[in-house]
Amino acid sequence: MDAHPVLVDVSHLTTYFPIMGGIIRKPVGQVHAVEDISFQIHEQETFSLVGESGCGKSTTGRSILRIIEPTSGTVTFDGVNLSSLSNEEMRKMRKNMQLIFQNPYASLNPRMTVRRLLEEPLNVHLHLSPAETEKEVTWISQAVGLNAEQLDRYPHQFSGGQRQRIAIARALITKPRFVVADEPVSALDVSIQSQILNLLMDLQKELKLSYLFISHDLNVVRRISSKIGVMYLGHIVETGDTEAVYTHPLHPYTRALLSAIPKEDPSDVKERIRLVGDVPSPANPPSGCPFHNRCPECMKVCSETMPEAHSLDGHIVSCHLYD
Ligand code: SF4
C-alpha cells in the first residue's frame, strides 16, 4: 500500500500532433504521440517513464505540465483538474510544477548570471522583497552545491554537471511539489550522472518532492524510481513497483528492454532478447497491440484487438498473454 496520498493523477491522457500537407497546408493526418495513458504519482514518490527514443515519454511530461496542450484526458494535481484552469491560473500553478531539461546549457540564458537565473523564477512567481530574494538564492545555491562567488558567473563558465546543478536550482527555487525531470543526466559523464542523481534524491527528501523521471537509461531508472511505466509507441504497456518490474517483467517489450541492460554479474547468463522489425510510425499506428509486429510471442488476436490492462502481482500489464 502507498504511504502517501496521490499528488498527480493522469487519466486517459492523449496527445496528437497534426500533420500538415498540401499547398494550403491543411491537416492531412495525426501523429499519435501519447495514446490514452493513465497513472498516478504519490507525494514524495519518483515515477519513471522508460522506453526507446520517440516513444512519447517527453511529450507525456510536457502534456502533464500543459506546456503542450493534450488532445484529451485529464491531469489532476492535488485535486485540481489542470485542464479546467485558464492560462493565467495555469501560470500561477507552475510554481508548484517545474521541468528540468536534458540539456542544461540550452535551458539557461547565456547572457544571465547564475544569480539572475535564480532570481527570475522568484520574480515571476513570488514577488519577494530584495532581502527575501537574496535569502532564497543563498539557500538553493547551497542546497545544490554552488558557492557564493559562482553566483556572479555565466553558464558558459561552468562544466556540464555544474550547469545541471544551476538548472536544478532554478527549477526548485520556487519550492515546487512536483518536478518533471526529462533525461536530466543523459548528457553527462557517468561519474557526474551519479552526483546529480544523488543530489536529486537528497533534494527530494529535503523538499518532499514528487518526480516524474523520464529516461531511456534503465540502470539510472532502477536507482532513482519507486515505480515505473514502460512506454511503447505512445502507450504505457506495463507499470508497477520498480523492483517488481525489474525482477519479474510481464510484458514482452519490458522483457526485451531489460534483457538489453549490460550485465554486471558475469554469472548472469540470461539471453538478450533481440527484437526484429522497426518501431511503427506513430503517424500510422498498427491495429491491435502496438507491439505486435515485433513481439516474439505474438498471437492471432494481437493484430486484431487492443489488449486490455490486467492487474497482476502488483503490475498493470496490457497484453493478451494475460487474458
Ligand atoms: Fe505480444 Fe500479443 Fe502481448 Fe502484444 S498482446 S505484447 S503482441 S503477446
Side-chain angles (χ1 to χ4, degrees), residues 237 250-253 288-303 305-307 317-323:
V237 296
L250 296 179
H251 196 281
Y253 179 63
C289 170
F291 188 52
H292 82 252
N293 70 320
R294 303 176 77 201
C295 179
E297 302 182 60
C298 182
M299 305 169 284
K300 187 169 179 292
V301 63
C302 301
S303 61
T305 313
M306 177 71 80
V317 59
S318 298
C319 173
H320 287 301
L321 290 174
Y322 306 98
D323 286 352

mmCIF file of all heavy atoms in Angstrom, residues 237 250-253 288-303 305-307 317-323, ligand 1:
data_model
loop_
_atom_site.group_PDB
_atom_site.id
_atom_site.type_symbol
_atom_site.label_atom_id
_atom_site.label_comp_id
_atom_site.label_asym_id
_atom_site.label_seq_id
_atom_site.Cartn_x
_atom_site.Cartn_y
_atom_site.Cartn_z
ATOM 1 N N VAL A 237 2.670 0.196 -21.550
ATOM 2 C CA VAL A 237 2.351 -1.226 -21.698
ATOM 3 C C VAL A 237 2.475 -1.979 -20.373
ATOM 4 O O VAL A 237 1.901 -3.056 -20.204
ATOM 5 C CB VAL A 237 3.220 -1.900 -22.787
ATOM 6 C CG1 VAL A 237 2.912 -1.295 -24.151
ATOM 7 C CG2 VAL A 237 4.699 -1.808 -22.474
ATOM 8 N N LEU A 250 6.547 -8.616 -16.962
ATOM 9 C CA LEU A 250 5.469 -9.414 -17.540
ATOM 10 C C LEU A 250 5.273 -9.158 -19.039
ATOM 11 O O LEU A 250 4.950 -10.070 -19.783
ATOM 12 C CB LEU A 250 4.147 -9.125 -16.803
ATOM 13 C CG LEU A 250 4.107 -9.515 -15.325
ATOM 14 C CD1 LEU A 250 2.748 -9.159 -14.727
ATOM 15 C CD2 LEU A 250 4.384 -11.003 -15.127
ATOM 16 N N HIS A 251 5.425 -7.918 -19.465
ATOM 17 C CA HIS A 251 5.161 -7.605 -20.877
ATOM 18 C C HIS A 251 6.370 -7.999 -21.739
ATOM 19 O O HIS A 251 7.516 -7.748 -21.355
ATOM 20 C CB HIS A 251 4.883 -6.103 -21.020
ATOM 21 C CG HIS A 251 4.252 -5.747 -22.320
ATOM 22 N ND1 HIS A 251 4.975 -5.633 -23.493
ATOM 23 C CD2 HIS A 251 2.964 -5.492 -22.652
ATOM 24 C CE1 HIS A 251 4.153 -5.316 -24.479
ATOM 25 N NE2 HIS A 251 2.924 -5.219 -23.990
ATOM 26 N N PRO A 252 6.125 -8.611 -22.901
ATOM 27 C CA PRO A 252 7.259 -8.997 -23.756
ATOM 28 C C PRO A 252 8.181 -7.823 -24.108
ATOM 29 O O PRO A 252 9.401 -8.015 -24.235
ATOM 30 C CB PRO A 252 6.570 -9.560 -25.014
ATOM 31 C CG PRO A 252 5.268 -10.088 -24.503
ATOM 32 C CD PRO A 252 4.834 -9.122 -23.427
ATOM 33 N N TYR A 253 7.659 -6.617 -24.246
ATOM 34 C CA TYR A 253 8.535 -5.476 -24.547
ATOM 35 C C TYR A 253 9.406 -5.143 -23.335
ATOM 36 O O TYR A 253 10.605 -4.872 -23.489
ATOM 37 C CB TYR A 253 7.699 -4.261 -24.975
ATOM 38 C CG TYR A 253 8.551 -3.048 -25.261
ATOM 39 C CD1 TYR A 253 9.487 -3.061 -26.295
ATOM 40 C CD2 TYR A 253 8.436 -1.882 -24.498
ATOM 41 C CE1 TYR A 253 10.296 -1.964 -26.554
ATOM 42 C CE2 TYR A 253 9.238 -0.781 -24.752
ATOM 43 C CZ TYR A 253 10.163 -0.827 -25.785
ATOM 44 O OH TYR A 253 10.964 0.266 -26.029
ATOM 45 N N GLY A 288 -4.703 -3.375 -33.307
ATOM 46 C CA GLY A 288 -4.452 -4.320 -32.216
ATOM 47 C C GLY A 288 -3.365 -3.832 -31.284
ATOM 48 O O GLY A 288 -3.242 -2.638 -31.003
ATOM 49 N N CYS A 289 -2.530 -4.755 -30.805
ATOM 50 C CA CYS A 289 -1.447 -4.401 -29.889
ATOM 51 C C CYS A 289 -0.377 -3.607 -30.646
ATOM 52 O O CYS A 289 0.085 -4.053 -31.707
ATOM 53 C CB CYS A 289 -0.834 -5.680 -29.317
ATOM 54 S SG CYS A 289 0.686 -5.366 -28.406
ATOM 55 N N PRO A 290 0.049 -2.456 -30.108
ATOM 56 C CA PRO A 290 1.034 -1.643 -30.839
ATOM 57 C C PRO A 290 2.376 -2.341 -31.038
ATOM 58 O O PRO A 290 3.156 -1.969 -31.910
ATOM 59 C CB PRO A 290 1.189 -0.400 -29.945
ATOM 60 C CG PRO A 290 0.686 -0.799 -28.599
ATOM 61 C CD PRO A 290 -0.368 -1.849 -28.839
ATOM 62 N N PHE A 291 2.640 -3.402 -30.251
ATOM 63 C CA PHE A 291 3.937 -4.097 -30.295
ATOM 64 C C PHE A 291 3.878 -5.343 -31.187
ATOM 65 O O PHE A 291 4.866 -6.046 -31.339
ATOM 66 C CB PHE A 291 4.311 -4.469 -28.847
ATOM 67 C CG PHE A 291 5.688 -5.016 -28.663
ATOM 68 C CD1 PHE A 291 6.810 -4.355 -29.145
ATOM 69 C CD2 PHE A 291 5.887 -6.204 -27.953
ATOM 70 C CE1 PHE A 291 8.083 -4.858 -28.953
ATOM 71 C CE2 PHE A 291 7.156 -6.717 -27.746
ATOM 72 C CZ PHE A 291 8.260 -6.037 -28.259
ATOM 73 N N HIS A 292 2.719 -5.615 -31.826
ATOM 74 C CA HIS A 292 2.545 -6.963 -32.392
ATOM 75 C C HIS A 292 3.514 -7.279 -33.530
ATOM 76 O O HIS A 292 3.890 -8.427 -33.728
ATOM 77 C CB HIS A 292 1.075 -7.225 -32.792
ATOM 78 C CG HIS A 292 0.649 -6.697 -34.115
ATOM 79 N ND1 HIS A 292 -0.185 -5.610 -34.248
ATOM 80 C CD2 HIS A 292 0.932 -7.106 -35.382
ATOM 81 C CE1 HIS A 292 -0.401 -5.381 -35.522
ATOM 82 N NE2 HIS A 292 0.278 -6.263 -36.232
ATOM 83 N N ASN A 293 3.961 -6.262 -34.298
ATOM 84 C CA ASN A 293 4.847 -6.595 -35.434
ATOM 85 C C ASN A 293 6.270 -6.933 -34.991
ATOM 86 O O ASN A 293 7.091 -7.357 -35.789
ATOM 87 C CB ASN A 293 4.873 -5.456 -36.466
ATOM 88 C CG ASN A 293 5.600 -4.236 -35.945
ATOM 89 O OD1 ASN A 293 5.466 -3.877 -34.783
ATOM 90 N ND2 ASN A 293 6.388 -3.607 -36.798
ATOM 91 N N ARG A 294 6.586 -6.735 -33.695
ATOM 92 C CA ARG A 294 7.947 -7.040 -33.210
ATOM 93 C C ARG A 294 7.938 -8.063 -32.081
ATOM 94 O O ARG A 294 8.996 -8.455 -31.599
ATOM 95 C CB ARG A 294 8.605 -5.756 -32.707
ATOM 96 C CG ARG A 294 8.658 -4.670 -33.755
ATOM 97 C CD ARG A 294 9.228 -3.397 -33.168
ATOM 98 N NE ARG A 294 10.650 -3.449 -33.032
ATOM 99 C CZ ARG A 294 11.350 -2.669 -32.206
ATOM 100 N NH1 ARG A 294 10.730 -1.813 -31.432
ATOM 101 N NH2 ARG A 294 12.651 -2.764 -32.138
ATOM 102 N N CYS A 295 6.760 -8.466 -31.648
ATOM 103 C CA CYS A 295 6.678 -9.274 -30.432
ATOM 104 C C CYS A 295 7.011 -10.745 -30.710
ATOM 105 O O CYS A 295 6.402 -11.375 -31.580
ATOM 106 C CB CYS A 295 5.263 -9.175 -29.860
ATOM 107 S SG CYS A 295 5.071 -10.156 -28.364
ATOM 108 N N PRO A 296 7.960 -11.328 -29.944
ATOM 109 C CA PRO A 296 8.296 -12.738 -30.155
ATOM 110 C C PRO A 296 7.156 -13.678 -29.760
ATOM 111 O O PRO A 296 7.180 -14.850 -30.117
ATOM 112 C CB PRO A 296 9.512 -12.963 -29.242
ATOM 113 C CG PRO A 296 9.847 -11.665 -28.604
ATOM 114 C CD PRO A 296 8.769 -10.679 -28.908
ATOM 115 N N GLU A 297 6.144 -13.166 -29.024
ATOM 116 C CA GLU A 297 5.065 -14.048 -28.556
ATOM 117 C C GLU A 297 3.726 -13.704 -29.192
ATOM 118 O O GLU A 297 2.667 -14.050 -28.669
ATOM 119 C CB GLU A 297 4.989 -13.961 -27.026
ATOM 120 C CG GLU A 297 6.312 -14.357 -26.410
ATOM 121 C CD GLU A 297 6.282 -14.338 -24.906
ATOM 122 O OE1 GLU A 297 5.465 -15.079 -24.351
ATOM 123 O OE2 GLU A 297 7.070 -13.597 -24.319
ATOM 124 N N CYS A 298 3.777 -13.009 -30.337
ATOM 125 C CA CYS A 298 2.552 -12.527 -30.992
ATOM 126 C C CYS A 298 1.613 -13.692 -31.358
ATOM 127 O O CYS A 298 2.052 -14.735 -31.847
ATOM 128 C CB CYS A 298 2.951 -11.755 -32.250
ATOM 129 S SG CYS A 298 1.551 -11.066 -33.110
ATOM 130 N N MET A 299 0.313 -13.487 -31.077
ATOM 131 C CA MET A 299 -0.718 -14.477 -31.425
ATOM 132 C C MET A 299 -1.674 -13.816 -32.421
ATOM 133 O O MET A 299 -1.594 -12.611 -32.647
ATOM 134 C CB MET A 299 -1.484 -14.884 -30.159
ATOM 135 C CG MET A 299 -0.579 -15.396 -29.057
ATOM 136 S SD MET A 299 -1.447 -15.580 -27.477
ATOM 137 C CE MET A 299 -1.574 -13.908 -26.912
ATOM 138 N N LYS A 300 -2.609 -14.620 -32.951
ATOM 139 C CA LYS A 300 -3.521 -14.077 -33.972
ATOM 140 C C LYS A 300 -4.308 -12.879 -33.440
ATOM 141 O O LYS A 300 -4.438 -11.857 -34.096
ATOM 142 C CB LYS A 300 -4.473 -15.194 -34.427
ATOM 143 C CG LYS A 300 -5.351 -14.792 -35.587
ATOM 144 C CD LYS A 300 -6.069 -15.976 -36.187
ATOM 145 C CE LYS A 300 -6.977 -15.577 -37.330
ATOM 146 N NZ LYS A 300 -8.125 -14.788 -36.901
ATOM 147 N N VAL A 301 -4.796 -13.009 -32.205
ATOM 148 C CA VAL A 301 -5.635 -11.955 -31.628
ATOM 149 C C VAL A 301 -4.878 -10.625 -31.512
ATOM 150 O O VAL A 301 -5.472 -9.548 -31.533
ATOM 151 C CB VAL A 301 -6.184 -12.396 -30.243
ATOM 152 C CG1 VAL A 301 -5.045 -12.603 -29.238
ATOM 153 C CG2 VAL A 301 -7.205 -11.419 -29.695
ATOM 154 N N CYS A 302 -3.551 -10.700 -31.416
ATOM 155 C CA CYS A 302 -2.752 -9.497 -31.108
ATOM 156 C C CYS A 302 -2.830 -8.447 -32.210
ATOM 157 O O CYS A 302 -2.747 -7.253 -31.932
ATOM 158 C CB CYS A 302 -1.299 -9.891 -30.872
ATOM 159 S SG CYS A 302 -1.097 -11.053 -29.515
ATOM 160 N N SER A 303 -2.947 -8.882 -33.459
ATOM 161 C CA SER A 303 -3.006 -7.897 -34.547
ATOM 162 C C SER A 303 -4.426 -7.384 -34.761
ATOM 163 O O SER A 303 -4.640 -6.460 -35.539
ATOM 164 C CB SER A 303 -2.477 -8.513 -35.843
ATOM 165 O OG SER A 303 -3.282 -9.620 -36.184
ATOM 166 N N THR A 305 -7.000 -7.045 -31.953
ATOM 167 C CA THR A 305 -7.666 -6.410 -30.811
ATOM 168 C C THR A 305 -6.642 -5.792 -29.876
ATOM 169 O O THR A 305 -5.654 -6.441 -29.517
ATOM 170 C CB THR A 305 -8.470 -7.483 -30.014
ATOM 171 O OG1 THR A 305 -9.210 -8.258 -30.943
ATOM 172 C CG2 THR A 305 -9.410 -6.855 -29.008
ATOM 173 N N MET A 306 -6.919 -4.564 -29.466
ATOM 174 C CA MET A 306 -6.053 -3.896 -28.482
ATOM 175 C C MET A 306 -6.179 -4.625 -27.144
ATOM 176 O O MET A 306 -7.292 -4.836 -26.654
ATOM 177 C CB MET A 306 -6.523 -2.449 -28.332
ATOM 178 C CG MET A 306 -5.780 -1.663 -27.296
ATOM 179 S SD MET A 306 -4.104 -1.276 -27.807
ATOM 180 C CE MET A 306 -4.416 0.114 -28.874
ATOM 181 N N PRO A 307 -5.065 -5.037 -26.537
ATOM 182 C CA PRO A 307 -5.184 -5.729 -25.245
ATOM 183 C C PRO A 307 -5.660 -4.797 -24.136
ATOM 184 O O PRO A 307 -5.338 -3.613 -24.147
ATOM 185 C CB PRO A 307 -3.754 -6.216 -24.967
ATOM 186 C CG PRO A 307 -2.865 -5.394 -25.833
ATOM 187 C CD PRO A 307 -3.672 -4.923 -26.999
ATOM 188 N N VAL A 317 -0.476 -4.651 -16.660
ATOM 189 C CA VAL A 317 0.146 -5.015 -17.944
ATOM 190 C C VAL A 317 -0.927 -5.130 -19.016
ATOM 191 O O VAL A 317 -1.999 -5.677 -18.783
ATOM 192 C CB VAL A 317 0.978 -6.326 -17.797
ATOM 193 C CG1 VAL A 317 0.111 -7.492 -17.326
ATOM 194 C CG2 VAL A 317 1.698 -6.685 -19.079
ATOM 195 N N SER A 318 -0.623 -4.555 -20.190
ATOM 196 C CA SER A 318 -1.569 -4.609 -21.310
ATOM 197 C C SER A 318 -1.046 -5.599 -22.332
ATOM 198 O O SER A 318 -0.186 -5.257 -23.165
ATOM 199 C CB SER A 318 -1.712 -3.220 -21.936
ATOM 200 O OG SER A 318 -2.218 -2.323 -20.994
ATOM 201 N N CYS A 319 -1.520 -6.823 -22.261
ATOM 202 C CA CYS A 319 -1.018 -7.878 -23.152
ATOM 203 C C CYS A 319 -2.008 -9.034 -23.157
ATOM 204 O O CYS A 319 -2.520 -9.439 -22.093
ATOM 205 C CB CYS A 319 0.346 -8.353 -22.653
ATOM 206 S SG CYS A 319 0.998 -9.769 -23.536
ATOM 207 N N HIS A 320 -2.251 -9.602 -24.347
ATOM 208 C CA HIS A 320 -3.196 -10.727 -24.456
ATOM 209 C C HIS A 320 -2.693 -12.005 -23.806
ATOM 210 O O HIS A 320 -3.470 -12.935 -23.598
ATOM 211 C CB HIS A 320 -3.497 -11.001 -25.955
ATOM 212 C CG HIS A 320 -4.383 -9.965 -26.572
ATOM 213 N ND1 HIS A 320 -5.636 -9.681 -26.108
ATOM 214 C CD2 HIS A 320 -4.171 -9.120 -27.621
ATOM 215 C CE1 HIS A 320 -6.182 -8.727 -26.846
ATOM 216 N NE2 HIS A 320 -5.318 -8.372 -27.760
ATOM 217 N N LEU A 321 -1.404 -12.072 -23.464
ATOM 218 C CA LEU A 321 -0.920 -13.276 -22.777
ATOM 219 C C LEU A 321 -1.622 -13.462 -21.434
ATOM 220 O O LEU A 321 -1.656 -14.576 -20.901
ATOM 221 C CB LEU A 321 0.591 -13.163 -22.518
ATOM 222 C CG LEU A 321 1.520 -13.246 -23.713
ATOM 223 C CD1 LEU A 321 2.952 -12.964 -23.280
ATOM 224 C CD2 LEU A 321 1.419 -14.607 -24.384
ATOM 225 N N TYR A 322 -2.177 -12.390 -20.891
ATOM 226 C CA TYR A 322 -2.774 -12.466 -19.551
ATOM 227 C C TYR A 322 -4.297 -12.370 -19.580
ATOM 228 O O TYR A 322 -4.926 -12.139 -18.556
ATOM 229 C CB TYR A 322 -2.156 -11.363 -18.658
ATOM 230 C CG TYR A 322 -0.653 -11.457 -18.665
ATOM 231 C CD1 TYR A 322 0.112 -10.639 -19.505
ATOM 232 C CD2 TYR A 322 0.011 -12.420 -17.909
ATOM 233 C CE1 TYR A 322 1.483 -10.766 -19.573
ATOM 234 C CE2 TYR A 322 1.386 -12.547 -17.969
ATOM 235 C CZ TYR A 322 2.122 -11.725 -18.801
ATOM 236 O OH TYR A 322 3.474 -11.869 -18.868
ATOM 237 N N ASP A 323 -4.899 -12.545 -20.781
ATOM 238 C CA ASP A 323 -6.371 -12.503 -20.892
ATOM 239 C C ASP A 323 -6.978 -13.677 -20.128
ATOM 240 O O ASP A 323 -6.381 -14.754 -20.062
ATOM 241 C CB ASP A 323 -6.803 -12.592 -22.355
ATOM 242 C CG ASP A 323 -6.550 -11.294 -23.108
ATOM 243 O OD1 ASP A 323 -6.179 -10.294 -22.466
ATOM 244 O OD2 ASP A 323 -6.682 -11.299 -24.348
HETATM 245 FE FE1 SF4 B 1 2.915 -9.579 -27.752
HETATM 246 FE FE2 SF4 B 1 0.365 -10.034 -28.148
HETATM 247 FE FE3 SF4 B 1 1.195 -9.306 -25.756
HETATM 248 FE FE4 SF4 B 1 1.184 -7.580 -27.770
HETATM 249 S S1 SF4 B 1 -0.592 -8.527 -26.841
HETATM 250 S S2 SF4 B 1 2.803 -7.880 -26.322
HETATM 251 S S3 SF4 B 1 1.724 -8.874 -29.490
HETATM 252 S S4 SF4 B 1 1.699 -11.211 -26.818
#
